[in-house]
Amino acid sequence: MGRLWTGIAVGIFSWNIWQAFSAPSVYHITLESAYPYYRPAIARVISGTTLRWHNPTLSPHTITHDGCSANQQCMFDSGPIMPRGTFSVPGLPPGRYSYHCQIHPIMRGEIIVESSAGLPQTTSHAPDHRGELARTLTPSPAQHDSYHVTPTI
């Protein structure tokens, strides 16, 4: 009977670990009123990671992929994100994604999405995520407290 309980415990423990590693992660980026404007200014993530920007400033901002302004493939465009609002983009394919605020063009950032092997790839095959945006304009204070920044090189 002891082996049965040990086997069940190991199975449950293994299942919980598998779920933790297979669950999609969220990478948080905070908008700021001063340089570097996006913290971090360069975000490095693994393909499949959801990106979430939080606007704690007193002004509206946008998160607009540079391709949207350059007659290239537009990968994401938030539209105005009001103060205390958030904007999320589901996992992007591997590649480099420069972005800016259309309201304040001095605000610029970059996302580097790597494959699980850690090798950046091109974005020419990437789908358009404008239709898959998850925008929340009034996050709770508890959500704001959970934001953190992971330093990048």
Side-chain angles (χ1 to χ4, degrees):
M1 188 71 170
R3 287 185 182 184
L4 175 62
W5 287 114
T6 302
I8 291 171
V10 168
I12 291 171
F13 179 74
S14 299
W15 175 256
N16 288 336
I17 288 177
W18 178 82
Q19 285 182 319
F21 285 107
S22 66
S25 60
V26 177
Y27 189 93
H28 298 278
I29 302 170
T30 302
L31 286 77
E32 297 183 339
S33 297
Y35 184 82
Y37 304 110
Y38 299 106
R39 188 181 307 215
I42 300 173
R44 186 179 299 268
V45 299
I46 299 298
S47 183
T49 302
T50 295
L51 297 156
R52 182 170 298 140
W53 287 264
H54 171 65
N55 179 12
T57 73
L58 299 176
S59 302
H61 296 285
T62 71
I63 307 298
T64 305
H65 176 237
D66 286 353
C68 303
S69 306
N71 295 325
Q72 298 172 359
Q73 187 172 17
C74 182
M75 298 302 294
F76 50 88
D77 188 2
S78 66
I81 304 170
M82 302 312 286
R84 296 182 44 122
T86 63
F87 170 71
S88 296
V89 173
L92 292 167
R96 293 177 91 95
Y97 303 89
S98 295
Y99 63 92
H100 63 278
C101 173
Q102 287 186 324
I103 300 168
H104 309 100
I106 194 169
M107 297 177 68
R108 304 198 56 75
E110 183 176 29
I111 303 161
I112 301 170
V113 180
E114 298 177 339
S115 67
S116 59
L119 302 173
Q121 299 173 359
T122 64
T123 59
S124 59
H125 64 284
D128 187 324
H129 285 285
R130 284 179 291 179
E132 300 176 30
L133 305 179
R135 189 183 331 168
T136 306
L137 297 178
T138 54
S140 70
Q143 286 175 311
H144 182 274
D145 293 339
S146 68
Y147 286 89
H148 64 280
V149 175
T150 304
T152 58
I153 296 173

